[in-house]
Amino acid sequence: MKKLVFTIIALMAVTLNATAYNRVRLVINDGTTNSQLKAKIEHAVSVVMTEINQAQENNRSKLSLSDGYVSREGRADLNKLWENEHFRCVEEEIVERLLTTRTGYQVRNIPLIVNAASEGAELGYQEAVINFDKQGIITSFYYTINPELYSKLRMKQMSDKRYEVTDIRDRMMILDYVEHFRTSYNQKDLKFLRQVFSDDALIITGKVVKVKKSEVVPSGNKIIYSTQTKQQYLDNLSKAFKAASYIKVNFDDVVIVEHPTIKGIYGVTVHQKWNTNRYSDEGYVFMVWDFRNPDTPQIHVRTWQPDYLDKERGQRLNPNDVFTLGDFDL
């Protein structure tokens, strides 16, 4: 009898610990005086992150998300990501500030541990950003760039004179799309990529080749460039998505450059790390973003350049050779 009682108590303790592990609570400590909105957003995030933890623990293939907390688009975002990567929140309580955006609100720095959905391989630590409409409904869920980069993000003029963004909403609008763009590769979301690239987008890819050493090329390594149309790029990307069981893309540096004469045009340079179960590389991605219609921004140019000319010898690409707005006639 004593043994039976002890077993029941032990099982109850395990159940309570598992429940405590699955539960996540958001506390908003600043950013709004609207107590009703604050409570709604706190509850929405708590419910959704707890559901994500339970789905991860039970290895479910689909998330169960309520209409009352997440929009149709938000559910699609989360389920697309969940198809390729499973994740869990590693904190029982998250204390964050509520940020105001152009279209609603935002909570950043949601800590996650991410695993590949098909293989279970751990893909490491990520932080998420959750966007809300003005009624407090979750509309999107992305992986963030490095939080330190976000806090230090600066815009700079073509003269390279840096200045802090005075309108935080403009900065957040641009960064929101950059983060969505980055997460779309993890989601294998060809629909979003097809939407965000303009029909006449210029895609340029660099590749290191061996050439005869000379005064112009003393190392014997040279980058040659090839161009693709939007459709060619998406066709090749579709093949890469099908071949890889997971895709992990990180941006560990971001620079946003405002065009000196065309309002709404920005050059965005990121240092990208691309990892799959089949292939990995590092390099610089430069994009020309057009925000003249902020509801449907477009990418007109995307370039990729390898990080190294010769990795074994530690010969990196000269930063002055990375593409910028000045290299393109807009």
Side-chain angles (χ1 to χ4, degrees), residues 147-193:
E148 292 181 6
L149 288 177
Y150 176 78
S151 64
K152 295 177 182 177
L153 187 62
R154 299 288 185 268
M155 289 188 177
K156 64 178 183 177
Q157 296 170 319
M158 293 296 289
S159 64
D160 278 350
K161 180 182 177 183
R162 291 178 181 267
Y163 66 97
E164 188 170 356
V165 181
T166 54
D167 189 339
I168 193 169
R169 293 194 186 192
D170 283 353
R171 181 177 72 177
M172 289 177 67
M173 176 184 68
I174 298 166
L175 183 58
D176 185 58
Y177 274 97
V178 171
E179 289 177 329
H180 191 173
F181 178 77
R182 174 224 167 169
T183 307
S184 68
Y185 287 94
N186 296 62
Q187 294 170 317
K188 300 182 181 179
D189 188 355
L190 281 172
K191 181 179 178 182
F192 172 76
L193 293 168

Side-chain angles (χ1 to χ4, degrees), residues 36 92 107-108 110 121 124 134 149 169 197 212 245 278-279 300 327-328:
Q36 188 174 357
E92 293 180 11
V107 173
R108 301 183 67 84
I110 308 295
K134 292 180 180 178
L149 288 177
R169 293 194 186 192
F197 281 104
K212 186 176 180 179
S245 61
R278 301 168 61 92
Y279 171 77
H300 297 307
D327 294 311
F328 300 93

Side-chain angles (χ1 to χ4, degrees), residues 243-256:
S245 61
Y246 68 85
I247 294 176
K248 178 184 177 184
V249 175
N250 280 326
F251 294 164
D252 60 8
D253 193 16
V254 179
V255 176
I256 299 176

Side-chain angles (χ1 to χ4, degrees), residues 112-128:
L112 304 172
I113 294 295
V114 183
N115 295 78
S118 59
E119 298 178 352
E122 189 166 303
L123 302 181
Y125 178 81
Q126 293 278 3
E127 292 189 4

Side-chain angles (χ1 to χ4, degrees), residues 67-82:
D67 291 348
Y69 304 112
V70 190
S71 70
R72 182 168 56 88
E73 294 81 6
R75 288 198 304 276
D77 264 350
L78 271 164
N79 277 311
K80 256 189 237 129
L81 195 54
W82 194 257

